[in-house]
Amino acid sequence: MTCSLADLPMFAELSEERLRGLAALARRRRYPSGQVLCTEGDPAGELIVLLDGRVKAGRVSADGREVVLAVEAAPVAFDKTALLVDGPHRATRTAVTAVEVAYLPRAAVLKLVGEEPSVAARLLRTLAATVRDLDERLTDAAIRDVPARVASWLARRCADGRVPLHAGQAGLGAEIGATRVSVNRALRSFERRGVIEIAPGEVIVLDPAALTRLAAR
C-alpha cells in the first residue's frame, strides 16, 4: 500500500495546508526491484522518502564486500543527518522490491525544521533512536558471540511476535557481522529449544523471555 507524506512520523503533525505545499514540491517516482536510489558518497541534496516497498542500505568494505546496514520498509526517509549538515549519502540504497519514492528539496525540508517545532522534535527523536541502535549494534559486535547477536537482533524487533527477514538470513548476518551459515546455525538451535519458529521470510518468536536471556548471555 502506498503511503503519503503524512504517514512519515516527522510530518505527522503538519497541517493539511503545509502537507499540500510539501507534496507540491515533491518529485514522485516508481522504480523496479534492483534500482539504486542513491549512492554512497554522492551529495544528499534532497530528502528521499520511501512511500511504498522496501529498500536496503549497504556500504562496500575495503575488500569489495557489501555490508548490509539495514533493510527498511515504507514509510521512511533516508539520510536525514546528511541533509542537515549538507553532507554526502552515507550508504548506497537499493530497492529490494518495486518502490515508490518522493524527493523533497533540501531547502524546503530545512525550512520546515526551522518553522515547525513538531518536525524538529520528531526529527531529533528519530536521530536519537538511530544513534541508540548503532550503539547497540557496536556493543553486540564487541562483546557477544553470534548466537547472542542473533538473539539480540530478534529481541529488538519482535514486538508483535513476528520478525520479517526482508534480506533473508544472509541479510541478517550482514547486519550483525556474521556469515549466513553461522546465523542459520543459531536460528536452528533456537528453534530446537522451542524459542522461535523459522517460517518463509520471517521468524516467529514463541518465547520472548527465553530470547532475551539468550541475548544477554
Side-chain angles (χ1 to χ4, degrees):
M1 181 180 68
T2 300
C3 301
S4 68
L5 293 178
D7 293 316
L8 198 69
M10 65 184 289
F11 297 148
E13 295 181 22
L14 288 179
S15 66
E16 288 294 330
E17 182 181 0
R18 276 285 201 182
L19 284 169
R20 284 195 298 270
L22 199 59
L25 296 173
R27 295 186 299 112
R28 295 175 70 132
R29 297 288 186 274
R30 289 187 176 273
Y31 297 114
S33 174
Q35 175 72 40
V36 174
L37 305 182
C38 62
T39 303
E40 177 186 355
D42 284 353
E46 297 174 300
L47 184 69
I48 304 175
V49 180
L50 181 65
L51 299 174
D52 191 25
R54 296 193 301 272
V55 168
K56 71 174 178 179
R59 304 185 74 175
V60 178
S61 66
D63 60 1
R65 180 172 54 89
E66 182 190 32
V67 178
V68 178
L69 304 176
V71 177
E72 299 172 288
V76 65
F78 303 131
D79 273 358
K80 293 177 284 292
T81 304
L83 198 76
L84 291 174
V85 300
D86 194 20
H89 290 293
R90 299 293 295 164
T92 296
R93 286 183 162 80
T94 307
V96 176
T97 66
V99 299
E100 182 175 356
V101 297
Y103 297 92
L104 295 172
R106 178 175 183 266
V109 176
L110 294 182
K111 183 179 179 183
L112 272 180
V113 172
E115 296 178 351
E116 294 282 351
S118 67
V119 174
R122 286 173 177 268
L123 180 58
L124 285 174
R125 285 198 293 271
T126 299
L127 295 178
T130 300
V131 172
R132 182 184 60 195
D133 182 64
L134 177 60
D135 180 67
E136 289 174 349
R137 290 172 63 176
L138 289 174
T139 300
D140 284 351
I143 68 174
R144 292 186 172 101
D145 59 14
V146 172
R149 273 182 265 166
V150 172
S152 177
W153 189 92
L154 291 171
R156 292 199 298 268
R157 294 164 172 80
C158 70
D160 66 352
R162 310 180 84 92
V163 183
L165 299 180
H166 296 311
Q169 294 182 18
L172 191 166
E175 285 197 49
I176 66 172
T179 65
R180 187 199 65 77
V181 172
S182 59
V183 167
N184 180 263
R185 188 179 299 123
L187 291 174
R188 294 296 178 189
S189 172
F190 299 164
E191 189 173 47
R192 286 194 297 272
R193 300 182 195 187
V195 177
I196 65 168
E197 178 184 339
I198 303 172
E202 66 176 0
V203 171
I204 301 169
V205 178
L206 305 175
D207 191 340
L211 190 65
T212 299
R213 289 194 296 270
L214 288 168
R217 238 179 13 181

